[in-house]
Amino acid sequence: LNNTLSFTLVLLLLSMSTFEKMKENMISGQFLPGLIKDEKLLSVFSEIDREKYLPENMKHLAYSDINIKVDKERYLINPYCLAKIIEKSMIKSKDVVLLIGTNLGYESAIISKLSNTVIALEENINFYRKAEVNLKNSLIDNVVNINGDYISGCKKYSPYDIIIYLGSANFPSEILFKQLSENGKLLICENYNTNLDEGKLFMYTKISKKIFKEYICDLNVPKLNADI
């Protein structure tokens, strides 16, 4: 029995060491060459273990540069694209963030370390339930999980300093603009070539009740909702 426990412990330690190395490689091989250099952001990505938020059969992909397919038409966007969107949003510690399409909780966990509060909106009831468990296990208490429609946002906790649409769409919902605070920002990747899944990251800023659109960079992420 003791030998079995020792062998299990060795395997666990080796697994932990492997994931830590993979995480380091993600930052040095994906983030830094991609000009993501914000020290606070890099520290948060180093702190949070993505594998803990993934199903067992996908843990080995935790720090890869691919979008992970988790459902018939649903992907987890790769960590580099997530980091790029977060970096460009310039989240402050006082900000309330609406995160749309929150998957299994990892993205919410990252942003929770940078902001005051995260309102995490997820349509898929199974993803929502798994995110609840994952965030609870990680002892993260400034994320409010909501199961609801992406297009409608979450009026209850608005206005928001930052809204991040975690996937690509043809255009943002007008309803979301109404949920922005003054000087609030909405970040979304818009498709401009649907055949090639090519997209551009845009930032919409609300100033004096008007919306101003700014191109940020080319960024290809999977569609979040086929109907938008």
Side-chain angles (χ1 to χ4, degrees), residues 74-93:
R74 188 68 178 275
Y75 293 79
L76 306 180
I77 72 170
N78 68 71
Y80 168 76
C81 288
L82 174 64
K84 178 64 74 173
I85 295 169
I86 295 174
E87 183 182 54
K88 296 301 182 181
S89 69
M90 295 180 288
I91 298 170
K92 300 180 179 64
S93 58

Side-chain angles (χ1 to χ4, degrees), residues 27-82:
I27 292 173
S28 63
Q30 298 175 40
F31 287 18
L32 297 182
L35 302 180
I36 296 172
K37 298 181 179 180
D38 183 276
E39 291 186 5
K40 173 64 175 175
L41 185 59
L42 293 176
S43 175
V44 170
F45 271 92
S46 296
E47 174 187 347
I48 296 180
D49 300 324
R50 194 184 191 210
E51 70 273 11
K52 294 180 179 178
Y53 291 82
L54 297 180
E56 196 65 37
N57 64 332
M58 297 177 183
K59 291 185 184 296
H60 65 289
L61 299 173
Y63 302 104
S64 68
D65 60 355
I66 66 171
N67 302 310
I68 303 174
K69 189 171 186 178
V70 288
D71 205 359
K72 184 178 179 181
E73 294 184 352
R74 188 68 178 275
Y75 293 79
L76 306 180
I77 72 170
N78 68 71
Y80 168 76
C81 288
L82 174 64

Side-chain angles (χ1 to χ4, degrees), residues 58-159:
M58 297 177 183
K59 291 185 184 296
H60 65 289
L61 299 173
Y63 302 104
S64 68
D65 60 355
I66 66 171
N67 302 310
I68 303 174
K69 189 171 186 178
V70 288
D71 205 359
K72 184 178 179 181
E73 294 184 352
R74 188 68 178 275
Y75 293 79
L76 306 180
I77 72 170
N78 68 71
Y80 168 76
C81 288
L82 174 64
K84 178 64 74 173
I85 295 169
I86 295 174
E87 183 182 54
K88 296 301 182 181
S89 69
M90 295 180 288
I91 298 170
K92 300 180 179 64
S93 58
K94 65 177 181 59
D95 286 344
V96 177
V97 179
L98 173 62
L99 185 60
I100 299 175
T102 53
N103 302 312
L104 306 176
Y106 173 72
E107 297 84 356
S108 302
I110 293 287
I111 295 176
S112 76
K113 302 297 183 181
L114 302 167
S115 63
N116 180 282
T117 305
V118 180
I119 306 302
L121 181 64
E122 177 53 59
E123 279 188 4
N124 186 301
I125 186 64
N126 292 323
F127 290 178
Y128 160 79
R129 288 170 177 162
K130 290 174 183 175
E132 282 276 86
V133 173
N134 289 336
L135 291 166
K136 183 178 180 180
N137 289 341
S138 298
L139 304 179
I140 293 174
D141 60 4
N142 64 330
V143 174
V144 179
N145 276 309
I146 304 291
N147 178 224
D149 179 61
Y150 298 143
I151 298 176
S152 301
C154 183
K155 183 178 179 181
K156 179 179 179 179
Y157 297 103
S158 64

Side-chain angles (χ1 to χ4, degrees), residues 152-196:
S152 301
C154 183
K155 183 178 179 181
K156 179 179 179 179
Y157 297 103
S158 64
Y160 300 103
D161 302 295
I162 307 284
I163 297 177
I164 294 176
Y165 193 88
L166 204 58
S168 65
N170 295 331
F171 52 85
S173 164
E174 290 289 333
I175 297 173
L176 298 178
F177 293 142
K178 296 178 181 179
Q179 296 178 16
L180 281 174
S181 64
E182 178 66 14
N183 298 315
K185 296 175 290 186
L186 184 153
L187 286 94
I188 185 171
C189 290
E190 296 183 9
N191 303 117
Y192 67 91
N193 189 330
T194 53
N195 292 327
L196 298 176

